[in-house]
Amino acid sequence: MNTAPIRSICCIGAGYVGGPTMAVIADRCPEIQVKVVDLNEARIAAWNDPDLSCLPVYEPGLDAVVGRSRGRNLQFSTDVDRAIATADMVFISVNTPTKTKGLGAGQASDLRWVEACARQVAKCARGHTIVVEKSTLPVRTAEAVKAILEASQLAEAGEQKGPPPSFSVLSNPEFLAEGTAIADLEQPDRVLIGGEDAAAIEALAGIYQQWVPQERILRTNLWSSELSKLTANAFLAQRISSINSVAALCEATGADVREVALAIGTDRRIGSRFLQSGPGFGGSCFKKDILNLVYLCHHFGLPEVAEYWESVVHLNTWQQHRIASLVVRKLFGTVSGKRLAILGFAFKADTNDTREAPAIRIAGDLLEEGAQLAIHDPKVSAEQIARDLNLPASSAPDAEAGPTRAALSGEGTWWPAANITDAVRGADAVLILTEWSQYRQLDWSGIAALMRHPAWVFDARSVVDPATIRSAGLSLWRVGDAG
C-alpha cells in the first residue's frame, strides 16, 4: 500500500521513552503534529507545566527541546481516543514490566498495556494507520498486535459501508541511555526499523531522515528488530557483570580493576565502553530484557542459553549484596544503630530514575542490619525513595547525641538529607552509590571533621581520589581495589 507523507503522530505513553522521543521528532519535524497521550493526568499536567524545570522526566537538554516545540506542534493530552483518530502514525510506548504472577512470572514481559493499546488503536483509528512498537517487546509480539488490528478490520468491514481502517505494524526499538537520551536521539548510532510493509518502513524512515544520516537507518524484518533490542541490552549488561566479577577478583589478588579495564579496553576488538566497575546495572531495561530473553530461550528449548544469560542477572544481584556485606564487615561486623550517609540513589547520574537502582538493594540490606541511613540525591525525591525502600522516612536524629536505645535495638531507619553536610554529620561511613558530578569534588577534610571516627568511605563508583581520602584521615574501600 502506498503511504502518504506523515502529517500527524500520536504516541501512547508519556514516560521516559515516549516524552523525549516525541519531543525530538517534533523539534526536528515542525511540519508534523505530534501528540503525546497518557491516562496519567498528573504526568500530562507536568509535561504541560509552564515551568520547564517541572517536567516529569529529567534529562539534560530535554527542557530546551520541549520549550521549542510545545504549543507549536507538540501537545500533551489525556484525550487518547481523539489523538489516535487523527493520527497517521501511532507509537506504542507503554511500560512492559516483568510479570509478577502467572505463566512466566519473574521472567516474561507483562504485555497487558501493549494489548490494551492495540485494542484502543483498533477501535479509534480512521483510514490507514501505521502502528509502531516503541516499547521493548519480546520477539513476535507484533504478531499479537497485528492479530488484534486485523480482527478489528474484519469487524469494521461487516458493520459499515465505507472502507474499514487498515494498519501496518512496524518495530522501532529505542536505544537510549538515560542521562544522554537527547544526545542519543539527536545523534543516534543507528535507527532500527523492522517491518513487512515497505511503504510503511519508508514513511517512518522519512521522518528520521530529516536529521539522521541515511546510512544509520537500518531496515530489518519485524522479528530481527524486536530481538535486536533485547540482545543489545543483554550484551551491555553482560559487560557490566563481567567487569564486576573481575573487580571482586582484583580486590582478592591485589590488582586494580581500573588498570585491568584500561588494558583490555585498548584492545580494539573489545573497546573501552561499559568496562567501569561499580555496584551493578540498574534502570528499567537491562534486568527486564535479560529475563525476557531467558524466558524466550526456555520457551524455544534452549536451556543452556537461558542459563548463560540468567547468570548475568545473578552476578549483578550478588555484587550489590556483596557491597552491603562488605560495609558491615568493615564496620566491626555490625551497623546496628550506626549512621551511614548514602550519596546517590538514582541508578545512574543525570537522571531521576530509580528503577532497579543498585542503591535500593544495598540500602535495603543495610536497613535489615539496623543501619540509620541519611540519603542524599540531587534529583530523586524523598517520596520516591520511600516507595522504593517500602519504608516511610523518619525524622533525622540528633547527629551529636549518638545512637539512641531504639536505634541500637536493630530497627533500621532512613531520612532524606537536604544537603551533603547534613548527610555526613555524625556518620560512621559514606557510601557513594551514584556517580553524580558533585560527588567528585567534595571537601573530604571538611567532611572528615563532621564524621564519627574511625570513619570509612565506600566508593562504589570510583569517583574519589584515594590519596585525598586517606590524607583526610578516612579509611577507604574502592570497588575493584585491594587497598
Side-chain angles (χ1 to χ4, degrees), residues 284-299:
S284 63
C285 289
F286 280 5
K287 179 181 177 181
K288 172 176 71 71
D289 289 356
I290 295 174
L291 292 176
N292 194 354
L293 195 60
V294 169
Y295 177 75
L296 289 170
C297 291
H298 280 303
H299 177 77

Side-chain angles (χ1 to χ4, degrees), residues 338-378:
K338 292 179 180 175
R339 180 169 178 150
L340 310 180
I342 303 290
L343 300 187
F345 202 81
F347 87 91
K348 63 182 291 190
D350 295 323
T351 181
N352 59 350
D353 194 354
T354 62
R355 287 175 291 181
E356 298 294 339
I360 297 173
R361 184 170 283 115
I362 294 170
D365 284 358
L366 294 172
L367 289 169
E368 284 287 323
E369 293 282 343
Q372 314 297 296
L373 306 181
I375 301 179
H376 175 270
D377 190 286

Side-chain angles (χ1 to χ4, degrees), residues 60-115:
L62 176 60
D63 53 352
V65 175
V66 172
R68 287 193 295 267
S69 301
R70 194 177 62 185
R72 181 191 68 190
N73 66 321
L74 176 64
Q75 300 177 47
F76 297 92
S77 172
T78 57
D79 193 346
V80 180
D81 290 357
R82 182 184 295 274
I84 293 172
T86 58
D88 303 315
M89 180 178 285
V90 176
F91 286 80
I92 296 177
S93 186
V94 294
N95 194 20
T96 54
T98 302
K99 292 181 69 174
T100 57
K101 58 183 178 180
L103 182 65
Q107 293 182 343
S109 290
D110 188 340
L111 301 178
R112 73 178 78 177
W113 290 282
V114 173
E115 180 178 339

Side-chain angles (χ1 to χ4, degrees), residues 57 73 113 146 170 173 181 190 230 242 252 281 321 324 342 353 406 419 434 454 468 479-480:
V57 173
N73 66 321
W113 290 282
K146 288 170 66 178
L170 301 177
R190 78 292 203 192
L230 295 182
S242 292
F281 55 77
H321 288 309
I342 303 290
D353 194 354
N419 52 60
T434 308
T468 301
V479 63

Side-chain angles (χ1 to χ4, degrees), residues 404-483:
T404 64
R405 180 179 296 274
L408 290 172
S409 70
E411 292 294 326
T413 61
W414 76 274
W415 61 93
N419 52 60
I420 295 171
T421 298
D422 287 348
V424 303
R425 183 175 285 114
D428 294 270
V430 174
L431 283 71
I432 303 175
L433 301 183
T434 308
E435 69 281 19
W436 288 102
S437 60
Q438 62 188 271
Y439 300 155
R440 299 178 185 271
Q441 303 165 356
L442 298 177
D443 174 13
W444 286 104
S445 294
I447 287 174
L450 297 172
M451 297 178 70
R452 189 172 78 153
H453 290 256
W456 277 84
V457 174
F458 296 92
D459 181 9
R461 294 288 189 173
S462 297
V463 300
V464 305
D465 174 52
T468 301
I469 297 296
R470 294 190 176 102
S471 67
L474 301 168
S475 298
L476 172 67
W477 170 85
R478 191 167 59 144
V479 63
D481 186 349

